[in-house]
Amino acid sequence: MASSSEYLTHVLDLLTEAEAITSRAMMGEYVLYSHGKVFDRVSDDRFLFKDTEAARALLPSATRATPYPGAKQMPLVESEDRELLAQTIRAMFPVFPNPDLERRNSRRRKPPRAEVPASPPGSTQDSSTRRSPTAAPRSAASPRR
């Protein structure tokens, strides 16, 4: 079941004390960011924090729920205390990865592939059938590239 935009508006209203909160719709649900770092999600009209030590310490009585079948359990936020929620986000913030660093790492170019040396003189193998000496042997059923 998808989350409603009305529920997202309610959650964003609860987070007015926190800094730089944004949201993004993803697959019928919403992911929440603080300063560009994912910290929370709204799933099936439920408000779930990432499971961190800070969230467990500041929201010890929070029940745990899964955002979707097979996912890890996360603290279900039922508190309406805006200051407590903002404090929890600030406490959780240092453990989140830096999104700029992740983006930069994903854009790094892979090193160029090593060229296969030419066949030795007198070899009957032409360049279209040459294989790297470290390549696994090809079975009769596997197609050539």
Side-chain angles (χ1 to χ4, degrees):
M1 178 174 97
S3 295
S4 67
S5 59
E6 292 82 17
Y7 188 75
L8 174 66
T9 302
H10 169 70
V11 169
L12 292 174
D13 183 54
L14 290 174
L15 299 175
T16 54
E17 298 292 319
E19 300 147 9
I21 302 298
T22 57
S23 66
R24 177 180 285 177
M26 288 192 179
M27 298 180 283
E29 308 299 348
Y30 296 95
V31 177
L32 302 177
Y33 300 83
S34 177
H35 296 282
K37 294 183 178 186
V38 176
F39 72 92
D40 199 0
R41 68 183 299 142
V42 174
S43 180
D44 293 333
D45 285 341
R46 295 174 304 158
F47 182 27
L48 301 163
F49 269 135
K50 270 192 170 184
D51 190 21
T52 63
E53 287 183 30
R56 288 189 299 270
L58 292 167
L59 301 169
S61 62
T63 58
R64 300 175 61 74
T66 58
Y68 51 87
K72 292 181 180 178
Q73 290 191 337
M74 302 169 74
L76 178 63
V77 179
E78 297 171 317
S79 174
E80 300 271 328
D81 183 350
R82 288 175 168 80
E83 185 52 43
L84 175 64
L85 296 176
Q87 180 184 0
T88 305
I89 293 167
R90 284 191 294 272
M92 293 168 51
F93 196 76
V95 300
F96 301 148
N98 185 347
D100 292 335
L101 181 60
E102 285 180 6
R103 238 182 277 134
R104 253 183 278 144
N105 287 341
S106 69
R107 290 183 190 161
R108 285 189 181 158
R109 292 184 179 215
K110 294 180 181 174
R113 293 179 65 182
E115 292 185 28
V116 177
S119 298
S123 172
T124 58
Q125 194 178 35
D126 69 0
S127 63
S128 65
T129 61
R130 189 177 5 188
R131 300 214 6 113
S132 167
T134 60
R138 224 185 259 156
S139 68
S142 59
R144 269 194 224 178
R145 292 183 187 183

